[in-house]
Amino acid sequence: MSYTSDAEVMKKDGIVLVAPTEEKQLADARKTAVASVIAIAIIAVGYWFVLRRSDGYQVMQRLQFAGSSERFDDPKLVTTVDEARDALWRAVAFSVLWGLVGWVLLKQFWAGAWKAGPGTKMPGAKLGLVFGLGGAAFGLIEKLLTILTIRADGAGIQFVNSWQDAVPKAIVSLAWVKWLLAGIMILLAVAMFVSSLTAAIRRELPVAETGVPDTTPDEDCHDEIAGTGICCSGGGIRAAGFALGALSRLEREPRAETVPGKLGILGRADYLSSVSGGGYAAAAWRIAAGLGPLPDQPIIGDPLDPKAIDDVRPFPNPDEPAGSLLQHVRERRRYLANGPGGMLTSALVIVRNMTFHFSLLILTVIALAWPLGRIVVSWAITGDDRSPTAMVEGLNTNIGVHQWFPPLAAAVLAIPFLVARLFLDRKPIRQRVDAAIMALLGIAVSLAIVLIGLPFAIDWVIALLPDGGGGRLAVGGVYGVILTTLWQLTKTRLKASARYLGGVALFAGLIVFGLLVMAHAADTDQLFSSRWRWLAALAAMVVAFVFFNPDRWSLHGFYRRRLAGTFSTKRTGSEYITHPDEPPIFAYAAETVEGPKPIICCAAAREDGQQTGVPVLSMTFEPSCVTVYRWSDATSSARPAPARISHAQFRRRLPQGTHGHHLNTLMGLAAVSGAAVAPSLGRLSLKGTDALLAAFNARLGVWMPNPSQQKWKRSTTPRLVNMFKEISKTYDPEDPNVYATDGGHWENLGLVELVRRRCTSIIIIDTSGDQ
């Protein structure tokens, strides 16, 4: 791999790829953020001064959505043809404006908004043509057709006489396609702004601040090193207790006096591999052993020593030392009750974080549903300016031509392309025909949902509410989701099909809640009616997407602190106290450290289970490097290929502050390795019900820097979009971060990592309880 001033040249499968360097990408991100704001401002200002200030603005709006001469006939709208045509010509100018702005924005700046890694290609030019120029073209045709087909009708205006109102039907179809494309373009512009701003604020942490030498992984981390390895399996707190007993025996056999300072078999081992609950014990021993020579006396203590049992205090003083690591752990074995407030504080923290997490999901639904509600209850669909409750009365019996004709027209236009496809060979022209078919069918389905499906759904939801959809039941959708979730999570046994029902229940509840928001959007007496409330929710979500890290309020931090209060100790002579600030994992790579090197085994989520049948990858943390074993099928026989980064690279890319520091400690990583409850469960996946875990913050996993994306030198702190990736189970291997969870989701013994290192002797402490 070689570098130029503004590009990175890579070779993959014999093809030379050129991708911008990170500095160039970050500069592009800043330009994109500015360009997105300018584009949105130009369109907003142009809309206000070009369209809204026109005398015939309201008539023009009615003309495009009428669909028939009868529906447009409104004696309250009195205007001249000249005023209407003036407004229409203004609309022509505005269509050209927003079409060009959208095309330039998507074509020139789209790729700069997304920082998924080297070689990423985004179809900005095609997006600009479809949603920018394409939407503007539909708008131009619609306005010009309207200008040519309106005439004076007494004090107002009317469409010219035409066969079965063909012209108004064509105009309303063009108008809805135009607004569909324009709405998508606005969403893309907002997404570009959020993504580019998120990338632009990343900063580099100098090597001096990391406290770790800037060495490459290949110099320090090797697979094929023979030696002795000990692995502690997963199995929760049961495995931790059993592993402590087994390790205490291994550090006392053979006796320490036969090999002074080596603590028996355990002290002379080369590796100490651990998974999940076994990692609590392994990390506890390694932290207590310290960063220097091993002590002469056993660290854990003898579990069968009567004195060790008698000395256990039921309510120990946190600052009072224990005589052994085992005594310290026994006194604090109810680890969830450690810390101020005990179990009550733990419960309050869980409820608080869950409420905050779910409120962000609700705010997102409000931000997306409110504009749709304004559209559904507007004159464009209902033909009246009434409240939602009044609007839905008889709605399902009054579907007009302006609602069913646009989606029907789009579907009918796809028929000639379907027929033509039967006579085309497999050539590029057939691909273009397929693209046209999919686009037309997508437009037809989208318009059918907005014009027919949503009004029916809102009618159905409000009819179910006793008060007709009053504000006091506006959050009924939330209650429904919570009740459904409790039912799902408290069932003693789940049948195979029930594993898919959790996600269905979640999304059904969110859809119901979204329909309530839509129904209230145009009613001034309802909870979600005010546009200012919606703007506040939208602004809050933009801020959250740019600055919020979902790992901050996940249960990982709480879980890690509770584990550290029990298992993380500092040796003072022959006594042990709770470690106030344990060292980072790379500190155990120093030559002064005696004893086995720790290997903490985790699982990195992926979307599919190709090659292995398990939708996770093996991910390990060692003192010298961080590794994820990606599967490569470039050859006939697929095999795992290690991708590594040094701890200097890893530390630079972690979130800044104490949260990032604790992700780099043994107990912090042991908490990741023990993240048994997470939206990604690997071989233990609950399928669709995994989405419930993500939605209600049952998340012990953590987003970690992706070792396979080695070019990043700056912080790749996860943002709120990662929360939605967990809900939708979207884990892209090219993302800057991977979602790390319990190592038992991939392999629950920790044995594979010792086999990879060609250990000649392996001792397995197995309390996994697997079948």
Side-chain angles (χ1 to χ4, degrees):
M1 186 181 294
S2 61
Y3 297 88
T4 62
S5 59
D6 61 352
E8 177 183 324
V9 181
M10 302 172 292
K11 192 171 183 180
K12 180 180 179 182
D13 299 332
I15 302 174
V16 176
L17 304 175
V18 179
T21 61
E22 186 184 2
E23 290 74 15
K24 178 68 163 54
Q25 287 181 329
L26 292 173
D28 290 343
R30 296 185 184 100
K31 293 177 183 177
T32 302
V34 175
S36 301
V37 172
I38 293 175
I40 294 173
I42 290 175
I43 294 175
V45 172
Y47 174 78
W48 180 260
F49 285 98
V50 176
L51 291 184
R52 293 288 297 185
R53 296 172 68 90
S54 170
D55 294 333
Y57 172 77
Q58 190 174 8
V59 172
M60 179 198 67
Q61 292 291 80
R62 297 291 177 94
L63 284 169
Q64 65 179 322
F65 294 121
S68 66
S69 299
E70 292 77 10
R71 188 165 181 262
F72 178 72
D73 189 13
D74 189 344
K76 295 183 293 184
L77 296 176
V78 179
T79 187
T80 65
V81 174
D82 291 338
E83 288 175 338
R85 285 177 175 160
D86 174 68
L88 289 166
W89 282 116
R90 286 171 176 261
V92 168
F94 180 71
S95 296
V96 174
L97 174 67
W98 74 259
L100 291 176
V101 169
W103 174 66
V104 172
L105 180 66
L106 295 174
K107 182 177 184 297
Q108 298 296 327
F109 297 97
W110 176 261
W114 309 100
K115 302 299 157 195
T120 300
K121 294 181 65 178
M122 305 297 289
K126 293 181 180 179
L127 290 175
L129 286 172
V130 173
F131 300 111
L133 297 182
F138 279 101
L140 286 173
I141 297 171
E142 172 240 322
K143 297 305 178 191
L144 292 175
L145 183 61
T146 306
I147 290 172
L148 295 174
T149 56
I150 59 174
R151 61 179 176 80
D153 182 24
I157 59 174
Q158 188 57 272
F159 291 105
V160 297
N161 293 326
S162 57
W163 181 76
Q164 296 294 325
D165 272 333
V167 171
K169 290 177 182 177
I171 289 173
V172 73
S173 300
L174 292 168
W176 277 114
V177 173
K178 171 195 69 177
W179 283 108
L180 176 64
L181 298 180
I184 295 175
M185 192 186 77
I186 292 172
L187 288 176
L188 293 177
V190 173
M192 286 174 63
F193 170 73
V194 172
S195 177
S196 57
L197 186 59
T198 301
I201 62 176
R202 292 176 177 143
R203 70 182 185 89
E204 181 173 0
L205 184 67
V207 175
E209 292 186 30
T210 68
V212 60
D214 191 17
T215 54
T216 60
D218 292 336
E219 296 174 359
D220 300 305
C221 194
H222 302 279
D223 282 344
E224 300 183 9
I225 300 179
T228 300
I230 301 172
C231 57
C232 302
S233 79
I237 198 67
R238 176 192 71 247
F242 187 88
L244 273 175
L247 291 176
S248 73
R249 187 68 174 177
L250 291 175
E251 71 174 355
R252 289 182 290 113
E253 290 292 340
R255 301 282 179 187
E257 55 266 21
T258 61
V259 185
K262 281 296 184 181
L263 291 184
I265 296 173
L266 178 56
R268 295 198 305 273
D270 297 286
Y271 300 105
L272 181 58
S273 172
S274 64
V275 182
S276 192
Y280 307 164
W285 184 90
R286 185 62 269 183
I287 295 169
L291 300 175
L294 293 175
D296 294 332
Q297 298 300 319
I299 294 172
I300 297 175
D302 186 356
L304 302 180
D305 183 0
K307 185 175 182 298
I309 299 175
D310 295 338
D311 289 344
V312 174
R313 297 155 295 187
F315 301 102
N317 187 327
D319 299 324
E320 190 173 346
S324 66
L325 174 61
L326 185 59
Q327 180 187 353
H328 184 280
V329 171
R330 274 176 167 168
E331 292 174 346
R332 297 161 179 81
R333 61 189 179 277
R334 296 180 63 203
Y335 65 94
L336 290 179
N338 288 337
M343 286 297 294
L344 178 60
T345 299
S346 298
L348 292 176
V349 168
I350 292 172
V351 171
R352 180 198 65 188
N353 291 3
M354 178 185 293
T355 302
F356 180 76
H357 183 81
F358 193 67
S359 67
L360 291 174
L361 186 59
I362 291 299
L363 279 176
T364 304
V365 175
I366 294 173
L368 295 176
W370 189 88
L372 284 174
R374 297 289 288 187
I375 293 172
V376 170
V377 299
S378 66
W379 183 91
I381 294 179
T382 66
D384 202 349
D385 299 312
R386 295 178 287 175
S387 68
T389 305
M391 175 271 294
V392 297
E393 294 178 359
L395 178 64
N396 53 13
T397 60
N398 293 320
I399 298 297
V401 65
H402 61 288
Q403 291 173 267
W404 59 261
F405 188 82
L408 178 63
V412 169
L413 287 177
I415 295 177
F417 291 95
L418 287 169
V419 174
R421 189 182 188 277
L422 301 176
F423 303 96
L424 294 174
D425 295 330
R426 293 184 177 274
K427 293 180 179 179
I429 188 172
R430 182 170 176 176
Q431 295 178 348
R432 295 188 179 93
V433 170
D434 289 342
I437 294 172
M438 294 304 297
L440 289 169
L441 293 180
I443 290 173
V445 171
S446 301
L447 292 180
I449 291 174
V450 174
L451 301 179
I452 301 174
L454 291 181
F456 266 97
I458 293 173
D459 185 11
W460 172 74
V461 169
I462 293 183
L464 294 178
L465 300 179
D467 62 348
R472 60 190 174 90
L473 290 178
V475 292
V478 181
Y479 298 149
V481 176
I482 293 175
L483 291 174
T484 305
T485 303
L486 293 176
W487 178 79
Q488 286 287 335
L489 296 180
T490 55
K491 286 180 68 71
T492 56
R493 304 187 66 144
L494 290 174
K495 295 181 180 179
S497 59
R499 298 168 68 187
Y500 297 89
L501 297 181
V504 174
L506 171 67
F507 289 106
L510 293 177
I511 289 172
V512 170
F513 178 73
L515 292 172
L516 285 169
V517 174
M518 294 179 200
H520 295 172
D523 194 328
T524 56
D525 295 329
Q526 300 296 337
L527 178 62
F528 306 113
S529 59
S530 171
R531 71 179 61 186
W532 297 109
R533 292 194 187 106
W534 174 72
L535 288 174
L538 183 62
M541 291 310 301
V542 170
V543 172
F545 270 94
V546 174
F547 295 104
F548 285 12
N549 175 2
D551 286 342
R552 293 281 187 178
W553 62 83
S554 75
L555 298 182
H556 168 80
F558 158 79
Y559 181 49
R560 176 195 55 76
R561 289 189 296 270
R562 292 299 190 255
L563 288 178
T566 297
F567 295 98
S568 180
T569 63
K570 182 177 183 180
R571 191 173 75 251
T572 58
S574 60
E575 296 180 320
Y576 297 85
I577 61 173
T578 301
H579 206 306
D581 188 21
E582 55 186 290
I585 186 173
F586 57 77
Y588 295 91
E591 295 181 358
T592 58
V593 178
E594 289 187 354
K597 302 295 183 184
I599 303 174
I600 299 178
C601 306
C602 300
R606 60 174 175 165
E607 295 180 9
D608 56 60
Q610 293 180 2
Q611 290 96 19
T612 62
V614 182
V616 288
L617 300 170
S618 172
M619 187 174 187
T620 61
F621 297 85
E622 303 169 67
S624 53
C625 62
V626 180
T627 308
V628 63
Y629 287 86
R630 296 187 57 179
W631 280 83
S632 172
D633 53 2
T635 60
S636 57
S637 59
R639 58 182 301 174
R644 300 188 177 99
I645 56 174
S646 68
H647 276 287
Q649 295 171 293
F650 183 73
R651 177 67 181 84
R652 282 198 195 101
R653 292 164 55 181
L654 283 173
Q656 305 307 311
T658 57
H659 177 69
H661 166 73
H662 288 303
L663 288 180
N664 210 21
T665 63
L666 280 184
M667 196 52 65
L669 294 170
V672 177
S673 178
V677 180
S680 171
L681 295 173
R683 62 193 178 96
L684 306 176
S685 174
L686 298 177
K687 305 301 181 182
T689 304
D690 291 343
L692 277 178
L693 301 179
F696 284 90
N697 203 36
R699 304 158 49 243
L700 294 176
V702 177
W703 289 92
M704 291 285 199
N706 188 352
S708 64
Q709 294 295 322
Q710 300 185 13
K711 72 185 300 297
W712 283 100
K713 297 179 181 179
R714 289 173 171 81
S715 172
T716 56
T717 302
R719 297 302 182 194
L720 195 63
V721 67
N722 294 78
M723 181 181 90
F724 293 93
K725 291 181 180 180
E726 295 174 38
I727 293 175
S728 61
K729 303 189 73 169
T730 302
Y731 304 110
D732 188 346
E734 304 302 321
D735 275 357
N737 297 289
V738 295
Y739 191 60
T741 62
D742 196 310
H745 296 160
W746 184 76
E747 190 265 327
N748 207 24
L749 290 179
L751 171 63
V752 171
E753 302 309 324
L754 301 182
V755 173
R756 281 173 171 160
R757 284 150 186 81
R758 306 297 192 267
C759 288
T760 54
S761 300
I762 298 176
I763 299 174
I764 304 173
I765 303 173
D766 179 13
T767 328
S768 60
D770 290 348
Q771 294 180 355

